[in-house]
Amino acid sequence: VQMVGLPVCNGLLVTIFNIYAWTGGHGNNDSALRTSDLIQSILDEMNYHFGTPFAILGDLNADPSDIPPLEEHLQLGKLVDLGNNIAFGPPIMTCRPPNNGKPSRRDFIFVSELLLPFVKQFRVDENNFPVHSTLVCCLSIPDVLPDVTFSVRFWEEVTV
């Protein structure tokens, strides 16, 4: 897990957690449990910093429904899956296994309810990476010029 504090304006700090979860979390209960513990630790940390907008992004290696604390926060509206939000279009597959396996959504950007109003754009860029697509999120926060944009290129580079 990489935790980054992104100062944006007037003392506002956006916290971003970049994760690479345990391989096989979809279909492997041990991996899913480890990832659940990881997500729960992030949620506990953010409860400690109540009122701080945050995002969790990265390769979940599972579906959100495989990770109970994540699924609960999504259902309660405390977190929003940008890739599964009608405001940004239909869900797009982000992972194409090299062994010609079935494409899936294993790469995500989840934002807290406090960060969602500032999300100006979300998109999945098809690229030349062998397995994963690049996820791009643009935030529009008052008093910040230019807009804050972050993108995630899994296994290759992370730009915040």
Side-chain angles (χ1 to χ4, degrees):
V1 173
Q2 177 187 34
M3 179 179 166
V4 176
L6 181 65
V8 289
C9 68
N10 300 326
L12 177 65
L13 183 72
V14 173
T15 304
I16 298 173
F17 294 90
N18 180 29
I19 66 169
Y20 180 79
W22 275 265
T23 302
H26 181 70
N28 180 313
N29 195 44
D30 289 338
S31 293
L33 287 173
R34 287 177 153 183
T35 299
S36 287
D37 289 345
L38 174 69
I39 295 294
Q40 187 61 60
S41 294
I42 290 170
L43 296 172
D44 290 346
E45 178 71 18
M46 291 319 301
N47 282 336
Y48 181 75
H49 300 283
F50 181 77
T52 301
F54 69 97
I56 302 170
L57 51 96
D59 186 345
L60 195 60
N61 277 310
D63 292 333
S65 60
D66 298 320
I67 313 301
L70 179 59
E71 181 70 9
E72 177 183 352
H73 275 69
L74 289 168
Q75 288 178 357
L76 293 173
K78 294 180 178 181
L79 284 175
V80 175
D81 175 0
L82 294 183
N84 194 25
N85 185 303
I86 193 66
F88 303 109
I92 298 172
M93 300 299 114
T94 61
C95 180
R96 288 165 181 76
N99 59 359
N100 293 323
K102 180 180 169 187
S104 62
R105 287 186 65 235
R106 294 290 184 256
D107 311 304
F108 298 89
I109 297 179
F110 303 104
V111 298
S112 67
E113 59 189 333
L114 294 173
L115 188 56
L116 182 61
F118 302 110
V119 176
K120 179 178 178 180
Q121 179 186 32
F122 169 80
R123 70 178 186 271
V124 177
D125 287 347
E126 299 294 326
N127 50 42
N128 294 324
F129 295 117
V131 178
H132 298 274
S133 298
T134 301
L135 308 183
V136 178
C137 178
C138 181
L139 303 175
S140 181
I141 299 173
D143 301 323
V144 176
L145 293 175
D147 290 342
V148 177
T149 300
F150 59 89
S151 63
V152 182
R153 295 181 180 147
F154 297 98
W155 294 331
E156 297 290 331
E157 132 186 28
V158 175
T159 303
V160 178

